[in-house]
Structure formats: structure tokens, C-alpha cells
Amino acid sequence: MSVLVVGSVALDSVETPFGKADEVLGGSATYFSASASHQTKVQLVGVVGADYPVDKLQALAERGVDLSGLEHAEGESFRWRGRYRHDLNSAETLETRLGVFSHFRPKIPAAFKSAEFVFLGNIDPRLQLEVLKQVDKPRLVACDTMNFWIESRRDDLIELLKHVDLITLNDGEARQLTERANLVQAARWILERGPKTVVIKKGEHGAFMFTSSSVFFAPAYPLESVFDPTGAGDSFAGGFIGYLARTGDLSDASLRRAVIHGSAMGSFVVEGFSITRLLEINRADIARRVAEFHELVAFDKSLDS
Ligand code: AMP
């Protein structure tokens, strides 16, 4: 089964303690697609301006990402500029230029409307809601968001929650959205407003998945060097939702395996700038890393003394 993703297709300029990248491929839909394409076919809906290096997106098309829903509009592409200091867990946004995104109205192509898995990447929640009005009857709708939208479109975001099955967000965003410092309370607050599953990512400290009856925790892969954390969240979502779409299995056990696939993809993308690492790796690399995750948390509980 394929996944429909709607989100930003950006030009990112990023500074980390290890280097700088200028105007490289970025955006929530770009990272998500590059990651999910290791699991399943992806249908992308987004917008770019006349200045976007669309030839570079060919690498995604070659990986089975259908770009026929990518609109080419007059004007400047979406640009994000961010910086990470030594704490690589939190990005400091230096500039967000919406460009063609400020007039974007997502149009879901007829061939994408029957999508069974939908990921509403980090964009204006009003646009995320517009997408849901255009799709038929997905089996799973997941969304992501960020502080920018929590601050500027809080009411729309709370309305969106009523219509999604699953949300992924990081710990800071969960606290900001729910005004709860405690993450268990924050997850409950969100679960009471619509989603049946809440995934709270904690960067290098792993990710929690909450449902009304269970909590699952996956550590982050202990990488020796993290180069650029940009896109870790969207790549996590790509691995996570991509895995669910490939298997078609929405059981609790499958959701847990999906979290590990998400964590694996997040751990790859931060090894380089932009989507470079996601384009280099293959199924065997992913399987190896998933096995390493298993090793990382395995212990024998029968040896209690
Ligand atoms: P993350 O996976 O959370 O690191 O997301 C990083 C991506 O989000 C970057 O490639 C940015 O281009 C994109 N981004 C940053 N701010 C926004 C925003 N306000 N709306 C949509 N996308 C954004």
C-alpha cells in the first residue's frame, strides 16, 4: 500500500557545530518521502516556486515517489534557516520564509484520493484540514506539527486533532501544545482530543508511544557522531508510517515495530546534511540497524535475583 504525504518541500540553510549547508533539499514532505520510500510507494503533494532545483528531486522519483502532485507556482520556494548549537536536540529557527506556501491550497490528484495511509506533514494546520476534506476514507491519518504552528494556529491544530488517528511531535512541542510539563499528562491531554496514538519524540533520548492502554519506549540509536539533526522527526515519521503501510498491520505489536523502524530512519538521516544518507542506504542497512535496536534493549527478565 502506498502513503500520501502532504507537507513542505523546502530549501534549507543549516548551521551545526560540524558544518554548514546552504539551500539544500529539505522540508517535511521531502524528508518523509525519502525515508518512507524504503518501505513503500509514496505520493507527494506540495508546492515549489520557480527557483526550486526540481532536477534534484529526481532522486526521489527514482525511489518510487510519485511527484505528480507537486505544484509548481510563481514565486519563491519555502525557505527555512536554522542553527543547532552543541545541544543538537533543539533547532533554533533563524528564519522561516513561507514564499509560495502562503498561497498554497493543496489539491489532491484524483489518483491519490483513495490513499489508505495519509501523513499530514508539518504545514499550516488549516491546509492539513483541507487535505482531509479531499481524501476518501483512509485507514490511518497521521500528522506532525511544530512550535511555529502551535503559536500561530493553535485553535486550528486542536480542530485537526479531532480528525487524526495518530500524531507525532517532539517533547517541547507536546509541552507547548498541552501546557503540561509532564509528558504522560501531555499525551493523555492529546489522546482526549482525538488521536488514538501519540508518539512523543525526545531526540537523542528516544521516543514514547502512548495509547489509552499502553506505553512503549524506543531508545535513540547511540550514534557516535551526529552531523545534522534536521529532518530526524520527518524521517522518523517516514519509517514509522511507511512500515505500517507496507505491512498493512495496525496491531499494537506492529505499531511497536514501526516505532523502531522510525527510530532507525531518524538515526540514519542525522549522519549527513539534507537527505543524502537516506539516498545512500538500502534495505539491508535498515534491517541491520533494526536488529541492533533489538539487541540494545533485550534483557532476560527471568534472571531476577
Ligand atoms: P524536523 O524533522 O522536525 O527536523 O523538520 C525539519 C524540516 O522542517 C526542515 O527541512 C524545514 O524545511 C521544515 N520546516 C521548518 N519550519 C517549517 C514550517 N513552519 N512549516 C513547514 N515546514 C517547516
Side-chain angles (χ1 to χ4, degrees):
M1 269 170 264
S2 56
V3 189
L4 167 65
V5 55
V6 185
S8 53
V9 178
L11 287 173
D12 286 351
S13 296
V14 185
E15 254 177 74
T16 80
F18 313 105
K20 253 172 99 161
D22 263 329
E23 307 245 312
V24 292
L25 295 197
S28 53
T30 312
Y31 278 108
F32 180 93
S33 303
S35 172
S37 66
H38 285 276
Q39 302 288 337
T40 189
K41 296 226 172 298
V42 180
Q43 300 166 327
L44 183 151
V45 172
V47 63
V48 290
D51 53 358
Y52 206 82
V54 274
D55 50 314
K56 297 208 175 121
L57 293 175
Q58 198 46 35
L60 290 181
E62 283 161 16
R63 297 205 44 79
V65 180
D66 185 338
L67 298 172
S68 58
L70 182 67
E71 195 180 309
H72 298 258
E74 292 285 315
E76 268 194 10
S77 297
F78 176 90
R79 280 175 169 77
W80 178 77
R81 214 154 56 76
R83 174 165 62 197
Y84 297 83
R85 298 198 191 260
H86 278 282
D87 170 12
L88 291 171
N89 259 352
S90 48
E92 188 188 336
T93 293
L94 300 174
E95 192 180 19
T96 302
R97 268 155 66 190
L98 292 178
V100 288
F101 249 102
S102 49
H103 297 110
F104 178 54
R105 292 280 159 273
K107 280 180 271 325
I108 308 300
F112 294 2
K113 286 181 190 282
S114 57
E116 294 203 50
F117 289 80
V118 175
F119 182 69
L120 304 169
N122 169 29
I123 47 170
D124 187 333
R126 293 182 192 177
L127 302 184
Q128 292 174 310
L129 276 162
E130 272 186 35
V131 171
L132 292 185
K133 291 190 190 128
Q134 297 176 53
V135 290
D136 295 340
K137 207 174 173 302
R139 272 184 75 198
L140 182 93
V141 176
C143 78
D144 189 22
T145 191
M146 73 180 286
N147 50 8
F148 188 85
W149 304 116
I150 297 172
E151 280 152 29
S152 59
R153 299 268 192 262
R154 190 187 162 77
D155 292 346
D156 298 301
L157 196 51
I158 290 173
E159 175 61 28
L160 176 72
L161 291 181
K162 295 183 193 158
H163 306 277
V164 306
D165 303 298
L166 188 153
I167 181 168
T168 61
L169 70 184
N170 69 33
D171 48 354
E173 293 156 357
R175 291 191 172 104
Q176 190 184 11
L177 172 64
T178 65
E179 295 168 339
R180 301 281 183 282
N182 177 290
L183 290 183
V184 182
Q185 288 181 23
R188 196 190 325 279
W189 188 98
I190 299 171
L191 288 168
E192 282 164 0
R193 281 158 182 80
K196 291 184 287 297
T197 307
V198 177
V199 177
I200 300 184
K201 299 161 290 169
K202 290 163 58 66
E204 63 179 333
H205 306 298
F208 279 105
M209 176 170 66
F210 296 91
T211 69
S212 60
S213 56
S214 69
V215 186
F216 177 66
F217 176 72
Y221 184 79
L223 285 172
E224 203 163 325
S225 56
V226 172
F227 199 71
D228 171 18
T230 313
D234 298 307
S235 305
F236 174 98
F240 181 65
I241 308 296
Y243 177 84
L244 295 175
R246 172 163 69 80
T247 60
D249 180 356
L250 297 180
S251 66
D252 190 58
S254 175
L255 282 162
R256 287 170 183 234
R257 285 191 292 271
V259 170
I260 300 296
H261 277 79
S263 304
M265 298 311 286
S267 75
F268 281 119
V269 76
V270 303
E271 292 174 335
F273 276 121
S274 184
I275 55 172
T276 28
R277 283 294 290 145
L278 297 181
L279 299 178
E280 285 165 5
I281 56 167
N282 59 33
R283 269 277 174 94
D285 296 317
I286 298 169
R288 215 172 301 121
R289 197 152 281 188
V290 167
E292 285 173 310
F293 267 98
H294 188 258
E295 192 60 28
L296 188 62
V297 294
F299 70 100
D300 184 350
K301 68 178 178 181
S302 69
L303 292 179
D304 283 353
S305 54

